[in-house]
Amino acid sequence: MNLKELAAHLNLSQTTVSRALNGFPEVSEATRRRVAAAAEQYNYRPNTRAKALATGRAMAIGHVIPLSSQHEMVNPIFGDFIAGAGESYARAGYDMILSLVEDSEQEKAYREMAAKRNVDGIVLHAPRMSDPRIDLLRSIGLPFAVHGRASDLEAPYSWLDVNNKSAFDRATQFLLDLGHRRICLVNGLESMDFAWRRRAGYEAALSSRGLPLDPALMYAEEMTESYGYRTVVATQALENPPTAYLVSSIIPAMGVRRAIEDTGRRMGREISVITHDDDLSYLRNGDEVPQFTATRSSVQEAGRQLANLLLEQIRSPTETPLTRLLEAHLTVGRSTGPAPTP
């Protein structure tokens, strides 16, 4: 069914139907709902080029992805985020433009998007503590939203983030309640804002119990499976090894589990493990009973919500940035248990 046929079916003008589908404010909410329901029923999808001409928009969202070998986006969590964002874009009639660039070419890529007007908004990934890209995007003038936050920046901007500090405080408290006192933090690169906040949560929980921080139990690297494995091997060789590991992603957590098993120990008995970001669509954490105890936050849902937040900015520009803080939920699995008796 094309636009003319849909308009005739609804006994409305083509202009009214087009404006209803494109979110123009002069169309009543009742008409908008009626048109949307009919479009869904008859599987009508407006032509993207025609929609762009009608709205003056590019009908696309830009994602600039650096190619740095140590960039956090190399892990498969990024795929789930993009899948979630893509669902929201598709429902709104938007395309996604992924631009893969060298790290040094990021500014050029953002400026070219703005100059060509081939996107209506931009998503910024993996912010650092003081991220110059945020000021750059603010100066360019295109709507943008950040997946995460940059703690060292005071000027307002739109973002969506998980409450990383609260999640790791809660996870550390859970291990402390089980009697663990030697807890190893297996964190991501701490120049990244999310990792800095997770370390802050870990430190806050230990401090609340009067426990000292031990630098020998605090690791921060790119989150790979081998990193998790190497960390367990190194820390179990200590004179007073940890009895628990708090891990920033299920990917290094798999390496942690492999190392525990290779040393003849049992995860959840001799050594406990809590991981984060276990809710991946193609890397499930067990079936009915999770293998890992985890601070769970759906990356795919974060992609959906951040995309909707940015689209809302594009449809209804406002001087007040939009922000959203998601909470992670602690899910108990087989990987944790009471601290072993000395």
Side-chain angles (χ1 to χ4, degrees), residues 46-69:
N47 179 278
T48 302
R49 185 169 296 178
K51 190 172 183 179
L53 289 172
T55 61
R57 297 174 183 160
M59 303 308 299
I61 302 297
H63 294 249
V64 175
I65 313 301
L67 292 176
S68 169
S69 61

Side-chain angles (χ1 to χ4, degrees), residues 7-26:
H9 172 77
L10 293 167
N11 197 27
L12 296 170
S13 71
Q14 294 182 49
T15 300
T16 299
V17 171
S18 177
R19 287 177 176 270
L21 292 171
N22 291 319
F24 281 79
E26 61 266 30

